[in-house]
Structures are given as C-alpha cells and as structure tokens.
Amino acid sequence: LFHSIVLLCFIGISISLKNKEYAEKQPNIIYILSDDLGYSDVGFTNGFVETPNLNRLAMEGVQLTQSYVQQVCSPTRGALMSGRYPFHTGMQHEVIYPGQPWGLPLDEVIIPQVLKEYNYSTHAVGKWHMGMHKWAFTPLYRGFDDFFGYYLGGQNYDSHRNEKGLDLRSDYYDKDGKFVDELRWDLDGRYSAELYSDHTVDLVNKLKSQEDPFFIYLAYQSVHAPHMVPQRYIDQYSSHITDKKQQVFAAMVSSMDEGIGNITKALESTGLADNTIIVFSSDNGGNVNCVGEVTSSNYPYRGGKRALYEGGVKSPSFIWGRNRLSPAKSDAMIHVTDWLPTFWSLGSLQGRLKPNNPIKTKPLDGVDQWLAISENLPSNRTEFVINIDPKPVACGHRVPHAGLRWNEWKLIIGQGGPPSGWYPAPSLTDLENPCGPHDSYIELYNIIEDPSETRNVSDKYPDIVKMLTEKI
C-alpha cells in the first residue's frame, strides 16, 4: 500500500510538472469545423453514428455542453474569425451565395492575423465561405499562409464543382513571394473529406520540423448537402440501418471521423500531440428543413439549421489538449465569438508574450474562456446575442427576429424558426417528427429547466421579457 501511495504521488507530481512545462509553451492549435452536423449526429453526444475517434478525443478532453454557434454557416464563420457578433459585422442575415459582392468586412482583424503577431504559421483547409468577389476577401489576404479548399458554400464532393464551375484550389505564395491561385483539376474524383484530411496530415508532417507554433483551421465540407460518400463507408452501416439515405448520412460522418483519426495519428507519430490543442464544433445545427427526408438529428433539442432554437445553435463541441486539460464536462456558457480571444490568450501565454506589432481589433464580443475551460470554472460570460436580423430568410424566419440568452433565460422575438419542431434520431422509431407549435411573437424559455424549449413562459414572467427585450 505504501509503495502504491508513493507511486501515485510520483505520478501526480510528474503530471503537475509536465502541465507546468507545457504552460510555458505556445500550443499548436487545430480548429475543426463540421458543416451542418446535428447535435446528436456524433457518438459523444449519444448519437447513433459511429465516431470512435471523435469520441476518444471528447472523452480525453473537455466536453463543452453549453457551446453555441450561429444559426447558419457564413455568420458562424465570420463570428469565429472576428470574435464579433454577426450583427456587428453585417453578416447576420444569410449565407454568401455565388456572385454576391460581399463578405466579412476587411477592417475586421481575424484569428490568423492575431496569431501571426506571435509567430504562428497559419493554414486554412476546406470551406471558406466568408467572401470571394475580390481577392482581398480570400484566405491568404486575411492572414493565412496557405489555403487548400473551396471558397463558396457547397459543391459536389467528388467533382468539386458547383453551378459556377470548379471551386477547388491551392492558394500559396511562390518562392518569389507571388500569390498563386491554382485550380485543382487533377483532383477530380477524389472525395473531399479524404482530401482535406490527407492534406492536413501532410501539413502536420511538414510542420514538425519548424520551431514556431502553428494554427490550422480545418473546415470540412461534411456533412453539408449533397449527401454522397464512397461505398466503403456505407458498408459499415448496411447491416443495422435499413434506410439508404440514413446509411449515406451516417457514412459521411464516419468518413470525417476517420480523417480526424488519421490527423491525430500524424500528431502522435511526429511528436506534436503533446503540445497541440484541438477544438471541434459544428457551424450550425443539423439541416432538418427544406431537405426532403430528414437524416440529421438535433434531438432532444428543438429546431435545426436557420432556427434560433437550441437545435439550430447548440453545437456538439469539445476541446482536447493532453498536457493542459484533464477529462471533464464543462457547463460553461461558450459562444463561437469566444475562440478568437481564447486563442489570443493561448498564443500570447496569457499576455506574457508581446505581439510583434500592436493588434488593433474592433470591440470584441467574445471573451477569453481558457480558465473556465481548463480549471472547470464558471464561464466568463452570462449572456450572448443569438442573432438580430430584420430581414426574412428562405427556408427560415419570415419576419424580423432577434434572440438573447441571459443566464438560464432565452428570449426570442419574432420567429424562432422554422424549423420549429423536434426531429428525433432515426433510431427512435417510437417517436414521430412533429411539425411543432406555431411560432409566437414573443417566446421565453428557461433553458436549464426546459432545454427542449417545450414551454413558452413569456406570459408568466413579463418582467424578464421586458428586461431582455430592453437588452436586445
């Protein structure tokens, strides 16, 4: 018994010393963003899809049970990169469609620009969708050293074409410092999830020899429509899922999970895993509206992509960092705008390192959440604006709407959806997909007591409605 106690003490001291050692190092950071992934589409949230690699990272890291994003794609990406609410950047309304002349404003300072001031190399892989009508809006002009992926919102997974043509490219600076935008005609027929995973593995192998830390932004196309995937991924579901569309959707998630597993293996084999932080998130809820047959699941949460309900904005998320984080579940309220200041804090060693040049951002809506996450402390925020949008959206709200979360309370003005119903996971065959109640002009929910948003209590608490309305 004595020897066991001594051994446990020694292990505890070793871990403590190791954690202290890594606290003095700038971490490598990999932010992984899935597209249209529902809250219950992964194993670590009790979903039906087999995601062993994501599950392992989630169980070894900190699962973020109150992690929020925006209700749709481009607004989330802009909020992530800028640390500012979409209604502050003009991105609160909708996604950027082909040919539209707008994007994340150029006077917004974004994550790679911040981290480069602390000597990070910066790399973007996958979906951009923050502007492309001028070169100035594309990744290399926004602080990334290189980019492999596509500029727009969706395309064929194999041909990499949309209605405007091929949109798969490698952007880089050549040996003379000249910007190169190389269209990748040679990759026709290669499945995108595999391409982006393999490219990230190659990046990790390349970066192992550099002394400076790196930031990789990996934005998968998966699982955005069109739903398509190589047969070998479908085969693993053919014995226990009978619906063909559900087989394909599950297989798409599994292909992404396999790629993430390959990336973590590369981190291990290169010796970079010990000093790397990985964050995983979805850009919005699963798409359960305007898609025909529903295959994604946000259950038990209400709504989905485009809705202000929990199913539209609550993300399956975790953060992994072997020598900085102990396995835990954190109920801290975290918003997608928080990642810029959190990465800033990590990259600057909590302010102990000074930037190469002064960094002048606009007022940030995000807050540094590192201590809340790493020490399992309360969140540094008690509220966040879900959205404020005065215009209707196709397949979404038809009147101006706004939403605010404050402590346990959530106020929605206008329409919270559509979608407004509850869409069960495919394995829950004893439940039907209800269309849900009609949206009210004012909706108030206690998210702690009623996370599925089944009881609108706005009539019961008029003072809270008044206070939150004034905040909006």
Side-chain angles (χ1 to χ4, degrees):
L1 178 62
F2 173 76
H3 291 295
S4 298
I5 293 173
V6 171
L7 178 61
L8 287 172
C9 290
F10 175 76
I11 292 172
I13 292 170
S14 298
I15 291 173
S16 176
L17 290 174
K18 199 172 187 181
N19 288 346
K20 186 175 181 181
E21 172 193 347
Y22 280 93
E24 300 302 319
K25 292 184 177 181
Q26 291 174 287
N28 305 310
I29 301 170
I30 302 178
Y31 186 96
I32 303 175
L33 191 65
S34 180
D35 198 340
D36 287 1
L37 186 74
Y39 191 85
S40 295
D41 289 338
V42 288
F44 67 87
T45 59
N46 299 315
F48 76 102
V49 182
E50 297 168 9
T51 55
N53 296 295
L54 285 171
N55 295 353
R56 179 182 64 81
L57 292 171
M59 298 305 163
E60 292 177 358
V62 178
Q63 298 175 59
L64 306 174
T65 65
Q66 296 289 322
S67 176
Y68 289 88
V69 292
Q70 297 302 132
Q71 77 285 356
V72 75
C73 172
S74 295
T76 287
R77 293 161 204 269
L80 165 70
M81 285 292 161
S82 68
R84 286 162 50 79
Y85 293 136
F87 76 91
H88 280 153
T89 64
M91 296 192 72
Q92 76 273 30
H93 177 57
E94 251 282 19
V95 302
I96 302 170
Y97 289 100
Q100 290 187 329
W102 65 285
L104 182 64
L106 299 180
D107 58 355
E108 298 290 344
V109 176
I110 68 173
I111 290 174
Q113 294 168 315
V114 170
L115 292 180
K116 285 185 80 66
E117 294 299 335
Y118 297 95
N119 300 319
Y120 276 73
S121 66
T122 56
H123 315 272
V125 183
K127 179 173 175 175
W128 180 243
H129 214 193
M130 286 179 277
M132 65 162 292
H133 66 291
K134 295 181 180 179
W135 288 118
F137 287 84
T138 60
L140 268 64
Y141 289 84
R142 305 302 300 261
F144 284 101
D145 294 328
D146 47 62
F147 171 71
F148 174 64
Y150 60 110
Y151 287 161
L152 288 169
Q155 57 182 220
N156 184 285
Y157 280 72
D158 292 334
S159 71
H160 316 294
R161 295 172 181 266
N162 55 42
E163 62 268 32
K164 297 294 183 181
L166 180 70
D167 185 18
L168 180 65
R169 57 195 74 229
S170 294
D171 290 354
Y172 57 93
Y173 294 105
D174 66 15
K175 61 181 180 180
D176 297 320
K178 182 181 178 182
F179 170 72
V180 177
D181 174 53
E182 178 186 357
L183 288 174
R184 299 303 302 270
W185 302 94
D186 58 311
L187 297 176
D188 184 15
R190 291 284 309 278
Y191 188 65
S192 77
E194 295 176 344
L195 280 177
Y196 300 143
S197 299
D198 290 350
H199 182 80
T200 305
V201 168
D202 291 342
L203 269 177
V204 169
N205 288 324
K206 177 183 175 182
L207 294 168
K208 68 180 179 181
S209 60
Q210 75 174 31
E211 293 184 4
D212 291 332
F214 61 78
F215 169 63
I216 298 176
Y217 170 54
L218 171 56
Y220 279 103
Q221 182 177 357
S222 311
V223 290
H224 194 285
H227 290 170
M228 53 190 298
V229 67
Q231 184 63 41
R232 69 183 183 88
Y233 297 105
I234 299 174
D235 291 342
Q236 71 188 81
Y237 292 99
S238 59
S239 63
H240 58 287
I241 296 179
T242 57
D243 185 275
K244 297 297 184 184
K245 291 184 178 179
Q246 290 173 1
Q247 285 180 6
V248 170
F249 181 83
M252 292 174 71
V253 180
S254 289
S255 70
M256 176 179 65
D257 180 78
E258 178 186 86
I260 292 170
N262 291 338
I263 293 165
T264 55
K265 288 177 184 175
L267 290 169
E268 296 287 359
S269 66
T270 56
L272 294 172
D274 284 347
N275 192 39
T276 297
I277 286 172
I278 298 174
V279 179
F280 178 83
S281 178
S282 179
D283 65 340
N284 45 249
N287 196 2
V288 296
N289 192 38
C290 298
V291 293
E293 182 178 339
V294 173
T295 52
S296 182
S297 176
N298 304 301
Y299 196 80
Y301 301 114
R302 183 179 178 183
K305 180 179 181 179
R306 304 181 188 87
L308 302 188
Y309 299 116
E310 295 291 277
V313 296
K314 191 170 185 178
S315 168
S317 301
F318 64 78
I319 178 170
W320 178 91
R322 175 180 297 158
N323 291 302
R324 291 176 170 84
L325 299 169
S326 300
K329 284 190 177 182
S330 172
D331 294 330
M333 182 190 294
I334 292 176
H335 188 258
V336 65
T337 54
D338 295 337
W339 291 114
L340 182 147
T342 301
F343 293 163
W344 190 341
S345 174
L346 286 166
S348 68
L349 298 181
Q350 286 73 51
R352 295 194 299 276
L353 298 180
K354 300 305 178 185
N356 298 323
N357 299 287
I359 302 172
K360 297 180 180 179
T361 69
K362 293 183 178 180
L364 297 178
D365 297 307
V367 296
D368 175 12
Q369 297 279 20
W370 181 245
L371 285 180
I373 293 169
S374 60
E375 303 296 333
N376 204 15
L377 297 173
S379 173
N380 278 333
R381 65 162 69 246
T382 57
E383 65 181 22
F384 63 88
V385 177
I386 303 168
N387 200 34
I388 300 174
D389 187 3
K391 297 181 178 180
V393 172
C395 294
H397 60 278
R398 300 179 183 89
V399 298
H401 78 175
L404 178 74
R405 172 77 185 271
W406 176 76
N407 292 328
E408 71 270 31
W409 296 103
K410 178 175 179 177
L411 179 72
I412 296 173
I413 300 174
Q415 284 185 308
S420 301
W422 295 264
Y423 300 85
S427 59
L428 304 179
T429 54
D430 58 324
L431 297 175
E432 296 180 357
N433 288 350
C435 61
H438 293 293
D439 298 285
S440 304
Y441 185 73
I442 295 287
E443 297 176 73
L444 180 69
Y445 300 99
N446 186 315
I447 294 300
I448 303 303
E449 296 180 358
D450 180 25
S452 297
E453 296 168 295
T454 62
R455 299 184 298 276
N456 178 2
V457 294
S458 57
D459 291 342
K460 189 175 180 180
Y461 297 99
D463 291 345
I464 292 176
V465 169
K466 182 176 183 295
M467 179 189 65
L468 298 186
T469 301
E470 291 174 350
K471 278 179 172 287
I472 291 176

